[in-house]
Amino acid sequence: MSSLSVHSAAQKNQLSLIRTLVSEDPKLVDAVDADQRTPLHWAASTGSLDVARYLLLQGAQVDKPDGSGWTALHIAGADIKKTNDKGLTPLRSRRRCKRDMTGCSLCFGVQEVLQINVKDRANQTPLHRAATTGSTGLIKVLLNPPEGSPKTRLNTGDRIGNTPLHLAMESAHAEAAVLLIEAGADRGRVNLEDQIPEQVDGVGGQEQKRVRQYVVERCGPCDP
């Protein structure tokens, strides 16, 4: 990236520079770099909230995929070390937003978009990513789209049949799992290995056992 590019400015949360560049050329809002990433992709990757908010107000496309099939929403809810089907991480940068996703302007930008069920090349939606990382703030936003918008699909399976609930249980994110179940996630749906979410081994050991117990305490026993 050029040090003066709109992408670099988004990555570094340089709002004044972004405003100047976009005012001179509004098309820069969705301009792509060599990796097909937009300024919003970079803002999402580094927690540049002021820039993300501005880009969204200027009409930036939250569901626009980069060259690896990642949207800004995927990145906002993604495990930065998780790879896609090509073995690539969401972004080269290892920095990510440390704030609770409820405070991220990118999450609130979901209220302005329609394609919240967009899939990446692993057939995963932003809800899959949020479930994998236990991002309860983003899950809440995705589960409550604005009136008139499509509802978030709770039970979409990825390439190996895992739903967001499978991934929340696999990663031992109990609160995320409870949120999904309370929203209507199918606890009896099986993946390609014929496992329901509460049968997935995941992290294993006592931690996995505690998560399963917590889910039963909060939501009752599973009745597949």
Side-chain angles (χ1 to χ4, degrees), residues 66-86:
D66 66 10
S68 298
W70 297 82
T71 69
L73 276 179
H74 284 115
I75 292 168
D79 179 347
I80 203 70
K81 296 180 181 179
K82 186 177 179 66
T83 58
N84 65 3
D85 58 327
K86 290 187 176 181

Side-chain angles (χ1 to χ4, degrees), residues 10-208:
Q11 183 183 28
K12 297 175 182 177
N13 202 28
Q14 296 175 324
L15 180 58
S16 295
L17 179 55
I18 287 282
R19 287 181 182 275
T20 299
L21 293 171
V22 172
S23 66
E24 293 175 352
D25 184 0
K27 292 182 180 179
L28 288 177
V29 167
D30 286 320
V32 296
D33 61 13
D35 296 309
Q36 299 299 303
R37 294 169 186 152
T38 66
L40 191 58
H41 281 100
W42 286 106
S45 74
T46 56
S48 300
L49 305 186
D50 293 336
V51 168
R53 184 180 297 109
Y54 173 75
L55 292 170
L56 289 166
L57 290 174
Q58 300 305 309
Q61 298 180 50
V62 183
D63 58 336
K64 187 179 181 67
D66 66 10
S68 298
W70 297 82
T71 69
L73 276 179
H74 284 115
I75 292 168
D79 179 347
I80 203 70
K81 296 180 181 179
K82 186 177 179 66
T83 58
N84 65 3
D85 58 327
K86 290 187 176 181
L88 300 173
T89 56
L91 294 173
R92 293 194 186 100
S93 171
R94 291 288 175 177
R95 291 182 295 167
R96 62 178 305 196
C97 180
K98 299 296 184 181
R99 306 185 189 189
D100 188 297
M101 294 306 294
T102 55
C104 179
S105 61
L106 183 60
C107 298
F108 291 111
V110 174
Q111 305 296 330
E112 305 298 327
V113 300
L114 298 179
Q115 297 188 40
I116 55 177
N117 295 307
V118 62
K119 298 176 183 178
D120 64 12
R121 293 178 182 176
N123 212 44
Q124 292 190 345
T125 66
L127 190 60
H128 282 93
R129 299 299 183 191
T132 298
T133 57
S135 182
T136 56
L138 181 53
I139 289 173
K140 289 176 183 178
V141 173
L142 291 170
L143 292 178
N144 292 280
E147 185 177 352
S149 297
K151 293 183 178 180
T152 299
R153 295 170 188 157
L154 280 169
N155 299 307
T156 297
D158 63 14
R159 287 198 310 170
I160 58 175
N162 283 331
T163 66
L165 183 55
H166 279 93
L167 299 182
M169 293 299 298
E170 180 182 56
S171 303
H173 293 305
E175 289 296 341
V178 169
L179 274 176
L180 292 168
I181 292 170
E182 290 179 343
D186 186 356
R187 297 171 72 182
R189 181 168 178 139
V190 297
N191 60 17
L192 295 185
E193 296 182 355
D194 205 34
Q195 296 173 317
I196 63 173
E198 288 162 65
Q199 292 175 333
V200 176
D201 288 335
V203 299
Q206 290 300 311
E207 185 176 2
Q208 196 82 50

